[in-house]
Coordinates of all heavy atoms in Angstrom, one line a residue:
A55 N 143.1 109.6 18.1 CA 143.8 108.4 17.6 C 143.4 107.2 18.5 O 143.2 106.1 18.0 CB 145.3 108.6 17.7
A56 N 143.2 107.4 19.8 CA 142.9 106.3 20.7 C 141.4 105.9 20.4 O 141.2 104.6 20.4 CB 142.9 106.8 22.1
M57 N 140.5 106.8 20.1 CA 139.2 106.4 19.9 C 139.0 105.7 18.5 O 138.1 104.8 18.4 CB 138.2 107.7 19.9 CG 138.2 108.4 21.2 SD 137.5 107.3 22.5 CE 137.7 108.4 24.0
A58 N 139.9 106.1 17.6 CA 139.8 105.5 16.2 C 140.5 104.2 16.1 O 140.3 103.4 15.1 CB 140.3 106.5 15.2
D59 N 141.3 103.8 17.0 CA 142.2 102.6 16.9 C 141.3 101.4 17.3 O 141.0 101.2 18.5 CB 143.4 102.8 17.9 CG 144.4 101.6 17.7 OD1 144.0 100.6 17.1 OD2 145.5 101.8 18.2
P60 N 141.1 100.5 16.4 CA 140.2 99.3 16.7 C 140.9 98.3 17.6 O 140.2 97.5 18.2 CB 140.0 98.7 15.4 CG 141.1 99.1 14.5 CD 141.4 100.5 15.0
T61 N 142.3 98.4 17.8 CA 143.0 97.5 18.7 C 142.9 97.9 20.1 O 143.2 97.2 21.0 CB 144.4 97.4 18.3 OG1 145.1 98.6 18.5 CG2 144.6 97.0 16.8
V62 N 142.5 99.2 20.4 CA 142.3 99.7 21.7 C 140.9 99.3 22.2 O 140.0 99.8 21.7 CB 142.6 101.2 21.8 CG1 142.2 101.8 23.2 CG2 144.0 101.6 21.4
T63 N 140.8 98.5 23.2 CA 139.6 98.0 23.7 C 139.0 98.8 24.9 O 137.8 98.7 25.2 CB 139.6 96.5 24.0 OG1 140.6 96.3 24.9 CG2 139.9 95.7 22.7
G64 N 139.9 99.5 25.6 CA 139.5 100.2 26.8 C 140.2 101.5 27.0 O 141.3 101.7 26.5
V65 N 139.5 102.5 27.6 CA 140.1 103.7 28.0 C 139.9 104.0 29.5 O 138.9 103.6 30.1 CB 139.5 104.9 27.2 CG1 139.9 104.8 25.7 CG2 138.0 105.1 27.4
I66 N 140.9 104.6 30.1 CA 140.9 105.0 31.5 C 140.8 106.5 31.5 O 141.7 107.2 31.1 CB 142.1 104.5 32.3 CG1 142.3 103.0 32.2 CG2 142.1 105.0 33.7 CD1 143.6 102.5 32.7
V67 N 139.7 107.0 31.9 CA 139.5 108.5 32.0 C 139.8 109.0 33.4 O 139.1 108.9 34.4 CB 138.0 108.8 31.7 CG1 137.8 110.4 31.7 CG2 137.5 108.3 30.4
A68 N 141.1 109.6 33.5 CA 141.6 110.1 34.7 C 142.0 111.5 34.6 O 142.9 112.0 35.3 CB 142.9 109.2 35.1
S69 N 141.3 112.2 33.7 CA 141.6 113.6 33.4 C 140.8 114.5 34.4 O 140.2 114.0 35.3 CB 141.2 113.9 31.9 OG 140.0 113.3 31.6
S70 N 140.8 115.8 34.1 CA 140.0 116.7 35.0 C 138.5 116.4 35.0 O 138.0 115.9 34.1 CB 140.3 118.2 34.6 OG 139.8 118.4 33.3
T71 N 137.9 116.7 36.1 CA 136.5 116.3 36.3 C 135.6 116.9 35.2 O 134.7 116.1 34.8 CB 136.0 116.8 37.7 OG1 136.7 116.2 38.7 CG2 134.5 116.4 37.9
D72 N 135.8 118.0 34.7 CA 135.0 118.6 33.7 C 135.1 117.9 32.4 O 134.2 118.2 31.5 CB 135.3 120.1 33.5 CG 136.7 120.4 33.1 OD1 137.6 119.5 33.2 OD2 137.0 121.5 32.6
T73 N 136.0 117.0 32.2 CA 136.1 116.2 31.0 C 135.5 114.8 31.1 O 135.4 114.1 30.1 CB 137.5 116.1 30.5 OG1 138.3 115.3 31.5 CG2 138.2 117.4 30.4
H74 N 135.2 114.3 32.3 CA 134.8 112.9 32.5 C 133.6 112.5 31.6 O 133.7 111.5 31.0 CB 134.5 112.7 34.0 CG 135.6 112.7 34.9 ND1 135.5 112.5 36.3 CD2 137.0 112.9 34.7 CE1 136.7 112.6 36.8 NE2 137.6 112.8 35.9
L75 N 132.6 113.3 31.7 CA 131.4 112.9 31.0 C 131.6 112.9 29.5 O 131.2 111.9 28.8 CB 130.2 113.9 31.3 CG 128.8 113.4 30.8 CD1 128.5 112.1 31.4 CD2 127.8 114.5 31.2
D76 N 132.2 114.0 28.9 CA 132.4 114.1 27.5 C 133.3 112.9 27.0 O 133.0 112.3 25.9 CB 133.0 115.4 27.1 CG 132.0 116.6 27.3 OD1 130.8 116.3 27.3 OD2 132.5 117.7 27.4
Y77 N 134.4 112.7 27.7 CA 135.3 111.6 27.2 C 134.6 110.3 27.4 O 134.9 109.4 26.5 CB 136.6 111.6 28.0 CG 137.5 112.8 27.8 CD1 138.6 113.1 28.6 CD2 137.2 113.7 26.7 CE1 139.4 114.2 28.3 CE2 138.1 114.8 26.4 CZ 139.1 115.0 27.3 OH 140.0 116.1 27.0
S78 N 133.8 110.0 28.4 CA 133.1 108.8 28.5 C 132.1 108.6 27.4 O 132.0 107.5 26.8 CB 132.4 108.7 29.9 OG 133.3 108.7 30.9
L79 N 131.4 109.6 27.0 CA 130.4 109.6 25.9 C 131.2 109.2 24.6 O 130.7 108.4 23.8 CB 129.7 110.9 25.8 CG 128.6 111.1 26.9 CD1 128.1 112.5 26.9 CD2 127.4 110.1 26.6
R80 N 132.3 109.9 24.4 CA 133.1 109.6 23.2 C 133.5 108.1 23.1 O 133.5 107.5 22.1 CB 134.3 110.5 23.1 CG 134.0 111.9 22.7 CD 135.1 112.7 22.2 NE 135.7 112.0 21.0 CZ 136.8 112.5 20.4 NH1 137.4 113.7 20.8 NH2 137.3 111.9 19.4
A81 N 134.0 107.7 24.3 CA 134.5 106.3 24.4 C 133.4 105.3 24.2 O 133.5 104.3 23.4 CB 135.2 106.0 25.7
A82 N 132.2 105.6 24.7 CA 131.0 104.7 24.5 C 130.6 104.7 23.1 O 130.3 103.6 22.5 CB 129.9 105.2 25.4
A83 N 130.6 105.8 22.4 CA 130.3 105.9 21.0 C 131.2 105.1 20.1 O 130.9 104.6 19.1 CB 130.1 107.3 20.5
A84 N 132.5 105.1 20.6 CA 133.5 104.4 19.9 C 133.6 102.9 20.2 O 134.4 102.1 19.6 CB 134.9 105.0 20.1
G85 N 132.7 102.4 21.1 CA 132.6 101.0 21.4 C 133.7 100.6 22.4 O 134.0 99.4 22.5
K86 N 134.3 101.5 23.2 CA 135.4 101.2 24.1 C 134.8 100.8 25.5 O 133.8 101.3 25.9 CB 136.4 102.3 24.3 CG 136.9 102.9 22.9 CD 137.7 102.0 22.1 CE 138.3 102.7 20.9 NZ 138.9 101.7 20.0
M87 N 135.5 99.9 26.2 CA 135.2 99.8 27.6 C 135.8 100.9 28.4 O 136.8 101.5 28.0 CB 135.9 98.5 28.1 CG 135.4 97.9 29.4 SD 133.9 97.0 29.1 CE 134.5 95.5 28.4
I88 N 135.0 101.4 29.4 CA 135.4 102.7 30.0 C 135.6 102.5 31.5 O 134.8 101.8 32.2 CB 134.2 103.7 29.9 CG1 133.8 103.9 28.4 CG2 134.6 105.0 30.5 CD1 132.3 104.4 28.3
F89 N 136.7 103.0 32.0 CA 137.1 103.1 33.4 C 137.2 104.6 33.7 O 138.1 105.3 33.2 CB 138.5 102.4 33.6 CG 139.0 102.5 35.0 CD1 139.5 101.3 35.6 CD2 139.1 103.6 35.7 CE1 140.0 101.3 36.9 CE2 139.7 103.6 37.0 CZ 140.2 102.5 37.5
C90 N 136.2 105.2 34.4 CA 136.1 106.6 34.6 C 136.2 107.0 36.0 O 135.5 106.4 36.9 CB 134.8 107.2 34.0 SG 134.6 108.9 34.1
E91 N 137.1 107.9 36.3 CA 137.2 108.5 37.7 C 135.9 109.1 38.1 O 135.1 109.6 37.3 CB 138.4 109.4 37.8 CG 139.7 108.7 38.3 CD 139.6 108.1 39.6 OE1 138.9 108.6 40.5 OE2 140.1 107.0 39.8
K92 N 135.7 109.2 39.4 CA 134.6 109.9 40.0 C 134.9 111.4 40.0 O 136.1 111.7 40.1 CB 134.1 109.3 41.3 CG 135.2 109.6 42.5 CD 135.1 111.0 43.1 CE 136.3 111.4 43.8 NZ 136.3 112.8 44.2
P93 N 133.9 112.3 40.1 CA 132.5 112.0 39.8 C 132.3 111.9 38.3 O 133.1 112.3 37.5 CB 131.7 113.2 40.4 CG 132.7 114.3 40.3 CD 134.1 113.7 40.5

Side-chain angles (χ1 to χ4, degrees):
M57 297 300 177
D59 188 343
T61 69
V62 172
T63 55
V65 295
I66 302 168
V67 181
S69 46
S70 59
T71 299
D72 60 343
T73 66
H74 289 180
L75 189 61
D76 289 339
Y77 290 170
S78 294
L79 284 167
R80 285 197 61 179
K86 310 298 186 187
M87 198 79 74
I88 308 160
F89 178 132
C90 181
E91 266 301 320
K92 68 82 197 169

